[in-house]
Amino acid sequence: MNRIWKKLLPLFLVIGLLAGCASGGNEEASSTSDNSHEKKEEQTNSGEETDTSYPLTVTDALDHEVTFKEEPEKIISTIPSNGEILFTLGLAEEVVGVSDFANYPDEVTEKEKIGGQDLNVEKILSLKPDLVLAHASGAHNSEQALKQLRNTGVKVFVVQDATSFDAVYESIQTIGSITGTSDKAEEIVTGMKEDLEVIKEKASGIAEEDKKNVFIEVAPAPEIYSGGKGTFLNEMLQAINADNVVGDQEGWFKMNNEAIVELQPEVIITTYGYYTENPKEKVLSRDGWGSVPAVEKEQVYDVHSDLVTRPGPRLVKGVRELGEAIYPEVFSE
């Protein structure tokens, strides 16, 4: 990934989340003519338990109904979060192509790249996938490409744009069902829930008067973005008993310097240190920010963006790192 893409990626991700998913048409799913000896189940993104015997019919985030006659053996992920889920489900061998932006786990570098914001349909078709796993946050950008793939007979499933922990659990369970790894999916979700409860239990001891007011930047100046209600950032801060200074606003949005200074956050978290040098120093040296408590006391910390904005299995790790940064006396081991 070249330097320009690295700098623009966080902003693209935020824009994708802001835009949401575009409405899509219905897809006629193929089915066997005689399935009297096989159980055919329908599942939505609700995360309900289902029998994962095949053929299996699922309904994706754009209301496309897709039928799988058997477990997919060659899978392409069009967005990093889907790729992380697939690898965590133990499907490294089945993954044949990933997004240009995929960077975790290390094995992802060995996979074929199929495009970033724009999907390379020709490349995808050359890999002969049984399943293309897309995502609602970017479906509006790749609508034509996904339509082309469906028209050639490729199974395309669009995963919901999860903006809460519960929705992430559902996405993992749904992908597990499609790929025949439901047991592993349940194991992952159970582990995430247990780890999150441990974090919440630690945070429960923080007294009301000791709660910190926090501002999280997901893109650097001059395009400073943050997240309020309906975002992982807000839910994560709630989990560690911290107050989001923009928690009364909805979704992802851009903020100006004056508005942030007026909020007087006690802690500032940046999420772009992996592509911007010295993010803490850049915040501390901003003109007119001297009166901000977080700047006065140098309470500025960087957490990797992928851990707090990517809807996948590592979200709980992101919560833990936020806790260690904001309340080191509570969360640091």
Side-chain angles (χ1 to χ4, degrees), residues 198-207 238-241 327 330-331:
V198 170
I199 292 171
K200 288 182 176 180
E201 180 63 27
K202 283 188 175 183
S204 66
I206 299 170
Q238 289 175 338
I240 60 172
N241 213 0
Y327 299 115
V330 175
F331 291 98

Side-chain angles (χ1 to χ4, degrees), residues 165 196-214 216 232-245 266-267 319-320 322-324 326-331:
F165 276 91
L196 188 58
E197 283 307 310
V198 170
I199 292 171
K200 288 182 176 180
E201 180 63 27
K202 283 188 175 183
S204 66
I206 299 170
E208 186 67 26
E209 61 268 22
D210 294 328
K211 289 179 68 173
K212 299 287 183 68
N213 295 319
V214 182
I216 302 181
F232 294 123
L233 300 186
N234 201 57
E235 191 171 356
M236 287 174 162
L237 291 176
Q238 289 175 338
I240 60 172
N241 213 0
D243 286 328
N244 183 359
V245 294
E266 297 170 280
V267 178
V319 179
R320 188 179 300 111
L322 283 174
E324 291 172 355
I326 298 167
Y327 299 115
E329 69 283 0
V330 175
F331 291 98

Side-chain angles (χ1 to χ4, degrees), residues 17 51 103 204 254 260 285:
L17 288 164
D51 186 327
N103 57 0
S204 66
K254 187 169 72 170
I260 300 169
S285 63

Side-chain angles (χ1 to χ4, degrees), residues 76 114 119-129 132 149:
I76 285 175
I114 52 81
L119 300 181
N120 186 334
V121 174
E122 184 177 349
K123 179 68 174 181
I124 291 173
L125 292 175
S126 73
L127 297 171
K128 300 179 179 178
V132 171
L149 293 171

Side-chain angles (χ1 to χ4, degrees), residues 102-123:
N103 57 0
Y104 184 89
D106 291 341
E107 302 98 293
V108 79
T109 60
E110 302 168 7
K111 302 298 181 178
E112 296 285 345
K113 299 299 187 290
I114 52 81
Q117 295 295 307
D118 298 315
L119 300 181
N120 186 334
V121 174
E122 184 177 349
K123 179 68 174 181

Side-chain angles (χ1 to χ4, degrees), residues 64-333:
H64 292 126
E65 197 174 76
V66 188
T67 294
F68 296 88
K69 295 182 180 179
E70 57 189 0
E71 294 178 12
E73 296 181 352
K74 299 176 72 177
I75 307 171
I76 285 175
S77 164
T78 68
I79 195 168
S81 59
N82 285 346
E84 287 198 22
I85 293 172
L86 290 167
F87 274 88
T88 308
L89 287 170
L91 296 168
E93 291 295 322
E94 286 77 4
V95 176
V96 296
V98 296
S99 164
D100 289 357
F101 302 133
N103 57 0
Y104 184 89
D106 291 341
E107 302 98 293
V108 79
T109 60
E110 302 168 7
K111 302 298 181 178
E112 296 285 345
K113 299 299 187 290
I114 52 81
Q117 295 295 307
D118 298 315
L119 300 181
N120 186 334
V121 174
E122 184 177 349
K123 179 68 174 181
I124 291 173
L125 292 175
S126 73
L127 297 171
K128 300 179 179 178
D130 301 313
L131 167 63
V132 171
L133 206 57
H135 196 268
S137 65
H140 57 291
N141 290 328
S142 53
E143 183 178 0
Q144 290 304 312
L146 296 179
K147 184 177 180 180
Q148 277 184 267
L149 293 171
R150 291 190 187 97
N151 288 342
T152 65
V154 173
K155 302 292 185 185
V156 175
F157 186 86
V158 180
V159 178
Q160 65 175 327
D161 183 11
T163 57
S164 69
F165 276 91
D166 284 343
V168 172
Y169 301 150
E170 292 167 7
S171 293
I172 293 171
Q173 290 165 331
T174 299
I175 294 174
S177 179
I178 292 171
T179 58
T181 57
S182 290
D183 288 346
K184 181 63 177 177
E186 290 301 328
E187 179 185 322
I188 293 167
V189 169
T190 298
M192 290 177 70
K193 289 180 178 179
E194 290 175 349
D195 290 346
L196 188 58
E197 283 307 310
V198 170
I199 292 171
K200 288 182 176 180
E201 180 63 27
K202 283 188 175 183
S204 66
I206 299 170
E208 186 67 26
E209 61 268 22
D210 294 328
K211 289 179 68 173
K212 299 287 183 68
N213 295 319
V214 182
F215 178 70
I216 302 181
E217 298 185 1
V218 297
E223 302 289 327
I224 301 176
Y225 276 82
S226 191
K229 291 182 292 187
T231 69
F232 294 123
L233 300 186
N234 201 57
E235 191 171 356
M236 287 174 162
L237 291 176
Q238 289 175 338
I240 60 172
N241 213 0
D243 286 328
N244 183 359
V245 294
V246 293
D248 58 336
Q249 299 188 54
E250 193 77 36
W252 302 92
F253 42 82
K254 187 169 72 170
M255 296 195 68
N256 60 48
N257 285 337
E258 293 76 14
I260 300 169
V261 170
E262 189 174 329
L263 291 170
Q264 293 286 286
E266 297 170 280
V267 178
I268 294 174
I269 301 292
T270 62
T271 64
Y272 42 82
Y274 71 103
Y275 70 92
T276 298
E277 293 183 4
N278 303 318
K280 177 175 180 175
E281 286 73 14
K282 284 181 168 61
V283 172
L284 293 177
S285 63
R286 286 175 181 164
D287 291 339
W289 283 51
S291 64
V292 176
V295 173
E296 282 186 308
K297 298 179 181 179
E298 298 192 3
Q299 299 294 294
V300 180
Y301 308 97
D302 188 75
V303 174
H304 200 293
S305 175
D306 294 349
L307 299 180
V308 294
T309 61
R310 186 175 288 181
R314 292 191 293 161
L315 275 179
V316 178
K317 183 178 179 182
V319 179
R320 188 179 300 111
E321 292 204 7
L322 283 174
E324 291 172 355
I326 298 167
Y327 299 115
E329 69 283 0
V330 175
F331 291 98
S332 296
E333 299 179 354

